[in-house]
Amino acid sequence: MSDLNLRPKFHITGGKGWINDPNGLVKFNGEYHVFFQYYLHNVYWGPMHWGHVVSSDLTNWKHLPVALAPDEQDDGCFSGTAVVWKGKLWLMYTSFKENGGGDNVRQLQAVASSEDGVNFTKHGIVIGEKDLPSEYSPCDFRDPKIFIEDDVLYCLVAARKINGRGRILLFSSKDMFNWKFECDVFGSDSGGIMIECPDYNKGLGLLTYCEQFQPAQGSKHLNIHSTFYRLGKLDCKTHKAEFGESEILDYGFDFYAAQIFKDTPVMIGWLNMWDRNIPSEKYGFAGMLTVPRKLEIKDGKLWQTPAVYSTLLYEKAVNGNYKDSIKTGIVKITAENLKAFKLSLRKKNSTSADFCLKNGEWVFDRSHSGEEIKGKEVDADSLAGIRRMPFEKGEKTEIYIVMDEFSVELFVDGKALSSTIYPDADADGFELETEADKCILQRFEV
């Protein structure tokens, strides 16, 4: 296989071209549908289409034709949602009109529907300027998320107050076409300049959302664009929002715009980040989505584990040093009373991505993992290629290492840390040093 054909083995990409946010995660006619922001004509962000893949097992994905494309109605079809309603698959997306730029830009919410889940008919804008209270900017009004309660359609939309910052607005409808403004969910500005991609899952009591240019908080989150979650409840009838404090959803360099399947507690995010170079451009594609992640709430915290179909190749007890050749797949490590941990992935000569337990926290270092990745972050950790994640010492520590071409996703006791890496194609060294009362390593093939 030539380098020009290098692609992730089991992560969703557009095949060629650019992708970013996952859109409209939904189960329809027995299949899982994932849409995504897509520009097929080049390896950078361009006029946004909706790419489309389906799967029966959340692991093997088949590409379908583009679901939505720019036309005389839309200069771009920005992020949104999917919902099964009255036997059809409906997409609500942000209709973007350039209008010369600046204050003339319009981001309004439009719908499309499909009977077969493949071919979609656009029906035009359904939440327009007249439906948006005058104190909010129609230039920054995007990323609708529909959910259904008591036969009423509700929609969360990211917005920005004129001369203010990000908000999340709630709208309601009984027929998909006529929408009524209900409330500003939190009634106060976000920490970042703009909120994006709100998602609410009532079953989990989980609200997720992104903030652009959110100031860093110590080492808790350092990306200039971060994804957060809050646990609690939104009462759509009384407009009462009862949520706890915001928590970081993924501690890595590359995670944004998460979406959750409505009836299946599984989440997918964008496994890249704005304002970074993407070295895979030379292979003809830029951007990928994370593996699906099973979500649970344990002891008042969100717990994430990879949800991909895999086969156990072998299992062995390890303590001290362990070496192997592993390029892609999943490694699960279960340790009792873990005292020390140091892992080098995709190792070749002096290059590797490193993950270790140091001074009571997890530290991921991609500074020697291959081609350099640069962003706009200027803090010491970012410049050094470092990301950190809290370590909570317990009797048992459960670690998943998900490796694919150009990425690693690390899960430790429900927390996640995801990053892209660009080592040589033949870099496959796997070197582990552990100290624990007992340590079991299982290797899975996806």
Side-chain angles (χ1 to χ4, degrees), residues 171-219:
F171 293 81
S172 69
S173 174
K174 292 187 177 177
D175 63 4
M176 191 68 76
F177 292 94
N178 298 283
W179 290 84
K180 173 189 161 198
F181 173 73
E182 292 285 348
C183 68
D184 184 323
V185 173
F186 292 112
S188 58
D189 278 348
S190 63
I193 289 173
M194 178 64 185
I195 280 182
E196 293 193 307
C197 306
D199 194 322
Y200 176 59
N201 186 288
K202 184 179 180 181
L204 290 167
L206 174 67
L207 177 75
T208 64
Y209 55 94
C210 306
E211 294 200 22
Q212 293 184 297
F213 302 101
Q214 152 76 324
Q217 298 170 346
S219 61

Side-chain angles (χ1 to χ4, degrees), residues 35-68:
F35 303 87
F36 48 86
Q37 293 286 276
Y38 185 38
Y39 184 51
L40 55 162
H41 301 300
N42 221 313
V43 290
Y44 47 74
W45 188 91
M48 281 292 98
H49 300 59
W50 275 38
H52 188 190
V53 293
V54 293
S55 173
S56 60
D57 60 7
L58 292 171
T59 305
N60 297 285
W61 297 95
K62 181 177 81 173
H63 281 82
L64 293 179
V66 165
L68 299 173

